[in-house]
Amino acid sequence: MNSSEEIAVSGMSAGRSAMRMGPAELVQAAAMARRFYLEGKSKIQIAEEFGVSRFKVARVLETALERDLVRIEIRVPAELDAERSDALRARYGLRHAVVVESPAEAEETPDPENLGEVAADLLGELVNEGDVLGLAWGRSTIHMAAALDRLPPCTVVQLTGVYDAGTAERGSVEAVRRAAQVAGGDAHPIYAPMLLPDAATAAALRNQTGIARAFEHFDKVTVACVSIGSWEPGISTVHDMLSDEERAHYASLGVAAEMSAHLFDAEGRRVGRDLGERCITVKADQLRRIPEVVAIAGGQRKGPAIDAVLRSGLVTSLVTDTSAADYLMTAGPAPKPALNRADPDGV
């Protein structure tokens, strides 16, 4: 970047205030400011690129000026990479992409904890009063819930069972309770394992009163938060719950990624659908109908899995890190825009 440029974008700080701009707003303001002030694009051109009205563009640029965000050089808080965020959003056709600097000391660690902190800020920006927020099982969503300190009044529902029912108090059940407490809304946790021995047991559990009540909210979810797992030990909870024989079977089908107990090949097509019959989880077609599905996943080892899930069309927004983003920017041909929510299987 040319050091003589001076469009500064700031706003996230250690102290959280109601007037602070969220990470998605910061990234979008930086991108629009770059187009307008440095590249000379018109507001109409910017509106067409971002899929918003020219009046929205004008408001963003005006806000940037009012809050002293625009100077001549594009800057975001040190932990956010605005250029990678904008490039990743455009490549996958996402609504929001927020790229966080990878911790230097943890290059190979999947889902660094700072992803959860940024995702917490993003949810505070995306969730509106009266929304239904859905949280799926995952280390990253648990980190996100722990970092939450602001949410408008909303209902919070658990979208999957837990990895181990014995860890519910410090896992996804606690994440749902924590988010509901911050929001001052109702919580609908699921006290059941994610994976059951057979389809009949899973069906019986789904009919239990508490679990059925949570399932009734799935079609009402407006914002969902999910994790992504690679098909390898320690990087996918579903992989770790299966027997060696079952892992080999699904690997033979070309599994590259797992999200909420749904399996995907490298092209984003769902495979091994029979596994879902044994799982306590939101259905894939229900996820596709949710207006905003935010995935939190990072680390170089998860790059191929994140690419596969983004190609599925189930995810609208992503919080990731520079290690994964660098892989994603060169991961084969550009996929169809995720905002089309197209199903790669054609069904």
Side-chain angles (χ1 to χ4, degrees), residues 192-217:
M194 181 188 292
L195 180 68
L196 282 303
D198 52 63
T201 304
L205 273 179
R206 291 189 201 104
N207 289 325
Q208 288 190 359
T209 303
I211 298 174
R213 189 176 297 118
F215 268 61
E216 288 172 0
H217 283 80

Side-chain angles (χ1 to χ4, degrees), residues 10-53:
S10 60
M12 276 181 62
S13 61
R16 301 185 176 190
S17 70
M19 296 301 293
R20 178 179 88 288
M21 294 177 74
E25 289 177 310
L26 283 165
V27 168
Q28 187 180 71
M32 288 184 176
R34 183 184 299 110
R35 305 291 194 278
F36 187 72
Y37 292 103
L38 299 182
E39 299 176 11
K41 290 189 176 181
S42 69
K43 293 175 184 176
I44 293 177
Q45 289 174 312
I46 298 170
E48 290 176 351
E49 178 182 349
F50 286 84
V52 298
S53 71

Side-chain angles (χ1 to χ4, degrees), residues 22 35 43 90 97 116 143 146 154 165 168 173 176 178 194 196 272-273 286 288 291 308 326 330 336 347:
R35 305 291 194 278
K43 293 175 184 176
H143 292 155
C154 65
V173 168
V176 169
R178 165 67 181 165
M194 181 188 292
L196 282 303
R273 298 187 183 213
Q286 290 175 310
R288 198 177 300 279
D326 287 344
T330 58
K336 294 178 181 179
V347 295

Side-chain angles (χ1 to χ4, degrees), residues 5 14 17 20 115 132 148 165 170 256 326:
E5 299 171 351
S17 70
R20 178 179 88 288
L115 294 185
V132 177
L148 281 171
R170 57 186 183 278
D326 287 344

Side-chain angles (χ1 to χ4, degrees), residues 108-117 119-120 135-147 160-164 167 170-175 194 225-241 258-260 295-299 301-302 305 319:
E108 297 303 316
T109 301
D111 303 336
E113 289 192 25
N114 62 338
L115 294 185
E117 296 169 3
L135 300 181
W137 161 266
R139 285 179 292 264
S140 56
T141 52
I142 292 170
H143 292 155
M144 178 277 300
T160 64
V162 298
Y163 174 41
D164 178 353
T167 65
R170 57 186 183 278
S172 48
V173 168
E174 181 56 31
M194 181 188 292
C225 193
V226 300
S227 297
I228 295 172
S230 301
W231 199 244
E232 57 180 304
I235 312 295
S236 164
T237 52
V238 172
H239 176 282
D240 292 346
M241 284 188 282
E258 170 266 316
M259 180 181 71
S260 302
I296 312 170
R301 292 173 64 187
K302 276 198 178 181
V319 177

Side-chain angles (χ1 to χ4, degrees), residues 60-81:
V60 171
L61 294 174
E62 183 178 350
T63 299
L65 288 169
E66 289 175 350
R67 298 192 182 184
D68 196 29
L69 305 182
V70 175
R71 294 180 193 161
I72 300 193
E73 178 179 316
I74 297 181
R75 281 193 220 140
V76 292
E79 67 268 32
L80 297 183
D81 190 311

Side-chain angles (χ1 to χ4, degrees), residues 65 99 102 127 138 199 207 210 245 250 297 306:
L65 288 169
V99 178
S102 301
V127 176
N207 289 325
E245 183 179 353
Y250 290 118
I306 298 170

